[in-house]
Amino acid sequence: MTGEKLLLMLKNMAEGTVVSIEVFFLTLLFAIPLAIFLCAGRRSKINFVRWIFTGFILIIRGTPLMLQLICVYFIPGQIFGASLDRFVAAVVALAINYACYFAEIYRGGIEAIPVGQYEASKVLGLSKIQTFFHIVMPQVIKRIMPAMGNEVITLVKDTALVQVIGVVELLHVSKTTSSRMFSTVPLFVAGIFYFVMNGVVSFIFSRIEKKLDYYK
């Protein structure tokens, strides 16, 4: 492989990486707050509301992400006659998918808090809001951080699935380049790119966990 071809390959893959990173960050930006809403619905005391949210989360978690990407991109075109932009459809599908997983992580963290802590807070005269923000939330964040880290690492790799609706991200570029050059080198380079991105994510979550290690 000549130096010129190598530089061109790296340039194209860097552009694909930028798209992957954009999808990654936008997915987190929308999925994290959406998960709070889904978690609240999932824990609702109103049976009908709880059943709706539980059923929705079950459907999303029980079907392939690739199928969801295809549905989000093509179904609006079938109904309204105009499809979403490929990039927008990718972010919407990933955000909904990961929000459902995050919602279950949030729920598990909240329900893991002993009932005695709520009772103790009530005895101390704390309101429900004060109890949640000062007693419950710090513990929930600490408890869910390892699981959140695993899901975010998976998200880095799942950004590769958006190529199924034609979004030109890192893996798409590497596969195209590999076919054009009759070489597997671009695929190995893509693997290195993903490894580095996941290394950064792992490092960040490791630092966060250490910062939150206040219940030894």
mmCIF file of all heavy atoms in Angstrom, residues 57-84:
data_model
loop_
_atom_site.group_PDB
_atom_site.id
_atom_site.type_symbol
_atom_site.label_atom_id
_atom_site.label_comp_id
_atom_site.label_asym_id
_atom_site.label_seq_id
_atom_site.Cartn_x
_atom_site.Cartn_y
_atom_site.Cartn_z
ATOM 1 N N ILE A 57 -41.343 -1.125 26.517
ATOM 2 C CA ILE A 57 -39.952 -1.485 26.818
ATOM 3 C C ILE A 57 -39.671 -2.925 26.433
ATOM 4 O O ILE A 57 -38.606 -3.246 25.883
ATOM 5 C CB ILE A 57 -39.649 -1.246 28.311
ATOM 6 C CG1 ILE A 57 -39.661 0.255 28.613
ATOM 7 C CG2 ILE A 57 -38.291 -1.854 28.697
ATOM 8 C CD1 ILE A 57 -39.540 0.601 30.088
ATOM 9 N N LEU A 58 -40.631 -3.812 26.685
ATOM 10 C CA LEU A 58 -40.465 -5.226 26.344
ATOM 11 C C LEU A 58 -40.316 -5.414 24.838
ATOM 12 O O LEU A 58 -39.458 -6.181 24.376
ATOM 13 C CB LEU A 58 -41.667 -6.031 26.854
ATOM 14 C CG LEU A 58 -41.629 -7.543 26.584
ATOM 15 C CD1 LEU A 58 -40.432 -8.174 27.290
ATOM 16 C CD2 LEU A 58 -42.927 -8.186 27.038
ATOM 17 N N ILE A 59 -41.110 -4.698 24.060
ATOM 18 C CA ILE A 59 -41.049 -4.808 22.598
ATOM 19 C C ILE A 59 -39.698 -4.320 22.076
ATOM 20 O O ILE A 59 -39.065 -4.976 21.244
ATOM 21 C CB ILE A 59 -42.195 -4.009 21.940
ATOM 22 C CG1 ILE A 59 -43.534 -4.688 22.222
ATOM 23 C CG2 ILE A 59 -41.975 -3.875 20.431
ATOM 24 C CD1 ILE A 59 -44.734 -3.871 21.813
ATOM 25 N N ILE A 60 -39.265 -3.163 22.559
ATOM 26 C CA ILE A 60 -37.997 -2.591 22.092
ATOM 27 C C ILE A 60 -36.813 -3.468 22.483
ATOM 28 O O ILE A 60 -35.909 -3.724 21.674
ATOM 29 C CB ILE A 60 -37.806 -1.166 22.643
ATOM 30 C CG1 ILE A 60 -38.908 -0.233 22.127
ATOM 31 C CG2 ILE A 60 -36.434 -0.622 22.236
ATOM 32 C CD1 ILE A 60 -38.963 -0.090 20.618
ATOM 33 N N ARG A 61 -36.820 -3.956 23.708
ATOM 34 C CA ARG A 61 -35.702 -4.800 24.160
ATOM 35 C C ARG A 61 -35.759 -6.200 23.547
ATOM 36 O O ARG A 61 -34.745 -6.895 23.502
ATOM 37 C CB ARG A 61 -35.707 -4.913 25.680
ATOM 38 C CG ARG A 61 -35.451 -3.588 26.399
ATOM 39 C CD ARG A 61 -35.506 -3.769 27.897
ATOM 40 N NE ARG A 61 -34.331 -4.492 28.371
ATOM 41 C CZ ARG A 61 -34.295 -5.165 29.502
ATOM 42 N NH1 ARG A 61 -35.364 -5.259 30.257
ATOM 43 N NH2 ARG A 61 -33.193 -5.777 29.873
ATOM 44 N N GLY A 62 -36.936 -6.597 23.089
ATOM 45 C CA GLY A 62 -37.095 -7.954 22.567
ATOM 46 C C GLY A 62 -36.977 -8.086 21.063
ATOM 47 O O GLY A 62 -37.098 -9.194 20.526
ATOM 48 N N THR A 63 -36.735 -6.979 20.365
ATOM 49 C CA THR A 63 -36.584 -7.024 18.904
ATOM 50 C C THR A 63 -35.206 -6.493 18.510
ATOM 51 O O THR A 63 -34.625 -5.674 19.224
ATOM 52 C CB THR A 63 -37.676 -6.185 18.207
ATOM 53 O OG1 THR A 63 -37.671 -4.839 18.741
ATOM 54 C CG2 THR A 63 -39.052 -6.791 18.439
ATOM 55 N N PRO A 64 -34.674 -6.941 17.375
ATOM 56 C CA PRO A 64 -33.321 -6.518 16.954
ATOM 57 C C PRO A 64 -33.234 -5.024 16.672
ATOM 58 O O PRO A 64 -34.158 -4.439 16.089
ATOM 59 C CB PRO A 64 -33.082 -7.330 15.672
ATOM 60 C CG PRO A 64 -34.059 -8.460 15.728
ATOM 61 C CD PRO A 64 -35.260 -7.930 16.447
ATOM 62 N N LEU A 65 -32.136 -4.427 17.070
ATOM 63 C CA LEU A 65 -31.903 -3.011 16.810
ATOM 64 C C LEU A 65 -31.891 -2.730 15.314
ATOM 65 O O LEU A 65 -32.388 -1.687 14.864
ATOM 66 C CB LEU A 65 -30.578 -2.577 17.444
ATOM 67 C CG LEU A 65 -30.114 -1.141 17.182
ATOM 68 C CD1 LEU A 65 -31.179 -0.134 17.580
ATOM 69 C CD2 LEU A 65 -28.806 -0.864 17.925
ATOM 70 N N MET A 66 -31.356 -3.648 14.534
ATOM 71 C CA MET A 66 -31.313 -3.448 13.089
ATOM 72 C C MET A 66 -32.725 -3.318 12.508
ATOM 73 O O MET A 66 -32.986 -2.481 11.644
ATOM 74 C CB MET A 66 -30.570 -4.606 12.407
ATOM 75 C CG MET A 66 -30.324 -4.386 10.921
ATOM 76 S SD MET A 66 -29.369 -5.718 10.169
ATOM 77 C CE MET A 66 -27.794 -5.524 11.012
ATOM 78 N N LEU A 67 -33.653 -4.144 13.012
ATOM 79 C CA LEU A 67 -35.043 -4.073 12.569
ATOM 80 C C LEU A 67 -35.665 -2.739 12.961
ATOM 81 O O LEU A 67 -36.419 -2.137 12.184
ATOM 82 C CB LEU A 67 -35.838 -5.224 13.181
ATOM 83 C CG LEU A 67 -37.340 -5.262 12.878
ATOM 84 C CD1 LEU A 67 -37.580 -5.401 11.375
ATOM 85 C CD2 LEU A 67 -38.002 -6.411 13.632
ATOM 86 N N GLN A 68 -35.340 -2.248 14.142
ATOM 87 C CA GLN A 68 -35.866 -0.957 14.584
ATOM 88 C C GLN A 68 -35.354 0.183 13.713
ATOM 89 O O GLN A 68 -36.093 1.120 13.393
ATOM 90 C CB GLN A 68 -35.491 -0.735 16.049
ATOM 91 C CG GLN A 68 -36.147 -1.720 17.002
ATOM 92 C CD GLN A 68 -35.518 -1.723 18.376
ATOM 93 O OE1 GLN A 68 -34.888 -0.735 18.790
ATOM 94 N NE2 GLN A 68 -35.663 -2.822 19.108
ATOM 95 N N LEU A 69 -34.087 0.116 13.332
ATOM 96 C CA LEU A 69 -33.522 1.128 12.433
ATOM 97 C C LEU A 69 -34.275 1.160 11.103
ATOM 98 O O LEU A 69 -34.630 2.233 10.597
ATOM 99 C CB LEU A 69 -32.039 0.834 12.183
ATOM 100 C CG LEU A 69 -31.070 1.175 13.312
ATOM 101 C CD1 LEU A 69 -29.758 0.434 13.140
ATOM 102 C CD2 LEU A 69 -30.821 2.680 13.355
ATOM 103 N N ILE A 70 -34.530 -0.003 10.561
ATOM 104 C CA ILE A 70 -35.246 -0.108 9.284
ATOM 105 C C ILE A 70 -36.664 0.441 9.419
ATOM 106 O O ILE A 70 -37.142 1.193 8.553
ATOM 107 C CB ILE A 70 -35.261 -1.570 8.796
ATOM 108 C CG1 ILE A 70 -33.841 -2.015 8.443
ATOM 109 C CG2 ILE A 70 -36.184 -1.732 7.592
ATOM 110 C CD1 ILE A 70 -33.713 -3.499 8.156
ATOM 111 N N CYS A 71 -37.348 0.086 10.510
ATOM 112 C CA CYS A 71 -38.725 0.540 10.720
ATOM 113 C C CYS A 71 -38.794 2.053 10.876
ATOM 114 O O CYS A 71 -39.652 2.705 10.263
ATOM 115 C CB CYS A 71 -39.317 -0.134 11.956
ATOM 116 S SG CYS A 71 -39.686 -1.885 11.745
ATOM 117 N N VAL A 72 -37.900 2.621 11.686
ATOM 118 C CA VAL A 72 -37.915 4.071 11.905
ATOM 119 C C VAL A 72 -37.641 4.824 10.606
ATOM 120 O O VAL A 72 -38.213 5.893 10.367
ATOM 121 C CB VAL A 72 -36.888 4.463 12.985
ATOM 122 C CG1 VAL A 72 -36.725 5.982 13.062
ATOM 123 C CG2 VAL A 72 -37.305 3.916 14.337
ATOM 124 N N TYR A 73 -36.791 4.268 9.760
ATOM 125 C CA TYR A 73 -36.454 4.950 8.508
ATOM 126 C C TYR A 73 -37.546 4.798 7.452
ATOM 127 O O TYR A 73 -37.899 5.762 6.763
ATOM 128 C CB TYR A 73 -35.123 4.427 7.965
ATOM 129 C CG TYR A 73 -34.734 5.074 6.653
ATOM 130 C CD1 TYR A 73 -34.481 6.448 6.592
ATOM 131 C CD2 TYR A 73 -34.633 4.330 5.486
ATOM 132 C CE1 TYR A 73 -34.136 7.055 5.398
ATOM 133 C CE2 TYR A 73 -34.285 4.929 4.292
ATOM 134 C CZ TYR A 73 -34.041 6.291 4.239
ATOM 135 O OH TYR A 73 -33.700 6.889 3.060
ATOM 136 N N PHE A 74 -38.117 3.588 7.321
ATOM 137 C CA PHE A 74 -39.030 3.335 6.211
ATOM 138 C C PHE A 74 -40.515 3.540 6.539
ATOM 139 O O PHE A 74 -41.283 3.945 5.665
ATOM 140 C CB PHE A 74 -38.834 1.903 5.681
ATOM 141 C CG PHE A 74 -37.573 1.716 4.908
ATOM 142 C CD1 PHE A 74 -36.498 1.037 5.455
ATOM 143 C CD2 PHE A 74 -37.447 2.239 3.619
ATOM 144 C CE1 PHE A 74 -35.318 0.871 4.739
ATOM 145 C CE2 PHE A 74 -36.270 2.080 2.899
ATOM 146 C CZ PHE A 74 -35.204 1.394 3.459
ATOM 147 N N ILE A 75 -40.936 3.263 7.776
ATOM 148 C CA ILE A 75 -42.367 3.346 8.093
ATOM 149 C C ILE A 75 -42.954 4.743 7.918
ATOM 150 O O ILE A 75 -44.053 4.889 7.370
ATOM 151 C CB ILE A 75 -42.634 2.801 9.513
ATOM 152 C CG1 ILE A 75 -42.500 1.273 9.502
ATOM 153 C CG2 ILE A 75 -44.016 3.207 10.007
ATOM 154 C CD1 ILE A 75 -42.739 0.614 10.843
ATOM 155 N N PRO A 76 -42.264 5.835 8.356
ATOM 156 C CA PRO A 76 -42.840 7.169 8.105
ATOM 157 C C PRO A 76 -43.094 7.428 6.619
ATOM 158 O O PRO A 76 -44.071 8.097 6.263
ATOM 159 C CB PRO A 76 -41.753 8.114 8.647
ATOM 160 C CG PRO A 76 -41.073 7.315 9.708
ATOM 161 C CD PRO A 76 -41.045 5.916 9.176
ATOM 162 N N GLY A 77 -42.243 6.895 5.759
ATOM 163 C CA GLY A 77 -42.449 7.048 4.317
ATOM 164 C C GLY A 77 -43.687 6.314 3.842
ATOM 165 O O GLY A 77 -44.411 6.785 2.950
ATOM 166 N N GLN A 78 -43.952 5.144 4.443
ATOM 167 C CA GLN A 78 -45.128 4.364 4.080
ATOM 168 C C GLN A 78 -46.413 5.045 4.538
ATOM 169 O O GLN A 78 -47.449 4.968 3.871
ATOM 170 C CB GLN A 78 -45.041 2.961 4.706
ATOM 171 C CG GLN A 78 -43.853 2.138 4.245
ATOM 172 C CD GLN A 78 -43.998 1.682 2.805
ATOM 173 O OE1 GLN A 78 -45.099 1.475 2.322
ATOM 174 N NE2 GLN A 78 -42.883 1.544 2.111
ATOM 175 N N ILE A 79 -46.340 5.724 5.697
ATOM 176 C CA ILE A 79 -47.544 6.347 6.268
ATOM 177 C C ILE A 79 -47.754 7.773 5.765
ATOM 178 O O ILE A 79 -48.861 8.146 5.351
ATOM 179 C CB ILE A 79 -47.456 6.340 7.814
ATOM 180 C CG1 ILE A 79 -47.397 4.898 8.337
ATOM 181 C CG2 ILE A 79 -48.644 7.074 8.420
ATOM 182 C CD1 ILE A 79 -47.202 4.803 9.835
ATOM 183 N N PHE A 80 -46.684 8.564 5.812
ATOM 184 C CA PHE A 80 -46.805 9.992 5.488
ATOM 185 C C PHE A 80 -46.278 10.350 4.107
ATOM 186 O O PHE A 80 -46.395 11.488 3.664
ATOM 187 C CB PHE A 80 -46.068 10.829 6.540
ATOM 188 C CG PHE A 80 -46.527 10.572 7.942
ATOM 189 C CD1 PHE A 80 -45.724 9.887 8.838
ATOM 190 C CD2 PHE A 80 -47.771 11.014 8.377
ATOM 191 C CE1 PHE A 80 -46.129 9.644 10.132
ATOM 192 C CE2 PHE A 80 -48.196 10.771 9.667
ATOM 193 C CZ PHE A 80 -47.379 10.083 10.554
ATOM 194 N N GLY A 81 -45.645 9.401 3.444
ATOM 195 C CA GLY A 81 -45.132 9.663 2.101
ATOM 196 C C GLY A 81 -43.771 10.314 2.066
ATOM 197 O O GLY A 81 -43.263 10.636 1.004
ATOM 198 N N ALA A 82 -43.165 10.513 3.232
ATOM 199 C CA ALA A 82 -41.824 11.113 3.292
ATOM 200 C C ALA A 82 -41.035 10.473 4.422
ATOM 201 O O ALA A 82 -41.487 10.470 5.568
ATOM 202 C CB ALA A 82 -41.922 12.623 3.509
ATOM 203 N N SER A 83 -39.872 9.925 4.084
ATOM 204 C CA SER A 83 -39.044 9.271 5.095
ATOM 205 C C SER A 83 -38.211 10.291 5.861
ATOM 206 O O SER A 83 -37.976 11.412 5.390
ATOM 207 C CB SER A 83 -38.099 8.259 4.430
ATOM 208 O OG SER A 83 -38.820 7.239 3.784
ATOM 209 N N LEU A 84 -37.782 9.908 7.043
ATOM 210 C CA LEU A 84 -36.866 10.742 7.807
ATOM 211 C C LEU A 84 -35.497 10.761 7.135
ATOM 212 O O LEU A 84 -35.160 9.862 6.366
ATOM 213 C CB LEU A 84 -36.704 10.195 9.232
ATOM 214 C CG LEU A 84 -37.908 10.247 10.168
ATOM 215 C CD1 LEU A 84 -37.581 9.512 11.465
ATOM 216 C CD2 LEU A 84 -38.293 11.690 10.471
#
